[in-house]
Amino acid sequence: MKVAVISDIHANKQALEAALDAIASSDAAEVWCLGDLVGYGADPDACVELAREHAAVCLAGNHDLAVTGEVPLDEFSRGASLAAQWTQEVIDKDNLAFLEGLAAQGREDRVGLYHASPRDPVWEYVLSTLVADLCLDAQSDRVCLIGHSHVALSFAREEGELATGEPQRDGASLDVSSGEWLLNPGSIGQPRDGDPRAAWLLLDLEGMTASYMRTEYDVAAAAAAIRAARLPDSLAERLEYGQ
Ligand code: ZN
């Protein structure tokens, strides 16, 4: 079975719809979502509803937990905190109840799933080989999926060696049939690796390959929705640059 792995949607309806269209045209049988459905963007309800409809598995991210009140807003940047408060005001109560039922980690088909990292599923950013090594020591599954940093990347480790890592561009395909792995699909709704297109991962659980995908979407419409909601302008601007 192939699964499409998505993460960090951040209430960007335009990006999520475009990615789900691309996923529907792929041979993915399921969608697994690593969390952060809401926060930053202007369409929390539409994104939670799309996730409820399409995702077989869905984790909670730190922004989801901020909206449900499980993590305090003072741990967030000003823009993130404002967006979380705005989301609390506008979100439909059924969608809020859905977020309240999610956890920041899970396990499917011997693959570990974490919003942030195996050591700290809510907050830790895995962006260095040093941190990746500590996470690979902590994880019980050979292959784990992580989100949170909004950067499409992979870390790998062979027996007795140190971890290596690299950013992954559109079209990159990895053989993950041996060694230990941490794979980040990148972000659907707010990429931070310089490529503004929605990022996702196609994971083949039989062949054990991971293919990094990017999907174009209407960035201008997502930015306009953020401005119309009177959320901080910086949240609209960064979508255009993928930062
Ligand atoms: Zn996020």
Side-chain angles (χ1 to χ4, degrees):
M1 179 175 79
K2 289 188 186 177
V3 297
V5 184
I6 64 173
S7 192
D8 298 278
I9 288 109
H10 286 294
N12 185 333
K13 177 182 72 166
Q14 288 79 7
L16 181 56
E17 284 175 342
L20 288 172
D21 280 350
I23 289 165
S25 323
S26 77
D27 50 359
E30 285 189 356
V31 176
W32 295 356
C33 174
L34 306 179
D36 275 359
L37 300 175
V38 301
Y40 296 133
D43 287 297
D45 281 319
C47 290
V48 174
E49 282 155 23
L50 285 167
R52 290 170 71 177
E53 187 184 341
H54 294 278
V57 177
C58 192
L59 304 183
N62 54 313
H63 289 257
D64 303 319
L65 297 173
V67 169
T68 63
E70 254 178 273
V71 307
L73 289 177
D74 56 19
E75 298 194 34
F76 285 81
S77 69
R78 188 169 169 278
S81 171
L82 285 169
Q85 287 173 59
W86 176 85
T87 306
Q88 287 173 332
E89 285 161 24
V90 302
I91 195 166
D92 175 88
K93 63 176 187 342
D94 281 355
N95 290 331
L96 184 63
F98 175 77
L99 295 182
E100 285 168 348
L102 302 178
Q105 61 182 296
R107 186 168 189 263
E108 295 292 324
D109 294 275
R110 287 174 287 127
V111 177
L113 279 60
Y114 303 91
H115 174 66
S117 94
R119 295 201 309 169
D120 176 350
V122 177
W123 282 111
E124 185 173 56
Y125 290 93
V126 188
L127 286 164
S128 70
T129 51
L130 194 69
V131 172
D133 256 318
L134 296 169
C135 290
L136 291 165
D137 288 341
Q139 73 192 43
S140 48
D141 295 297
R142 195 178 62 75
V143 176
C144 288
L145 302 170
I146 54 173
H148 190 51
S149 69
H150 300 205
V151 177
L153 48 72
S154 65
F155 291 98
R157 187 168 72 182
E158 295 296 333
E159 179 102 47
E161 292 179 20
L162 290 172
T164 57
E166 49 194 345
Q168 297 294 345
R169 298 289 165 202
D170 186 19
S173 192
L174 303 174
D175 177 354
V176 299
S177 60
S178 67
E180 297 172 292
W181 291 86
L182 277 169
L183 304 171
N184 189 325
S187 167
I188 293 284
Q190 195 197 77
R192 294 179 192 161
D193 53 7
D195 182 342
R197 296 176 296 172
W200 55 284
L201 182 77
L202 190 61
L203 180 66
D204 181 342
L205 294 167
E206 272 116 47
M208 289 315 284
T209 58
S211 304
Y212 285 81
M213 318 294 274
R214 299 306 276 242
T215 301
E216 284 204 41
Y217 75 94
D218 191 344
V219 174
I226 287 172
R227 292 185 173 113
R230 300 187 173 275
L231 288 162
D233 201 62
S234 58
L235 299 178
E237 270 168 35
R238 64 189 305 173
L239 297 182
E240 288 150 29
Y241 304 105
Q243 287 299 341

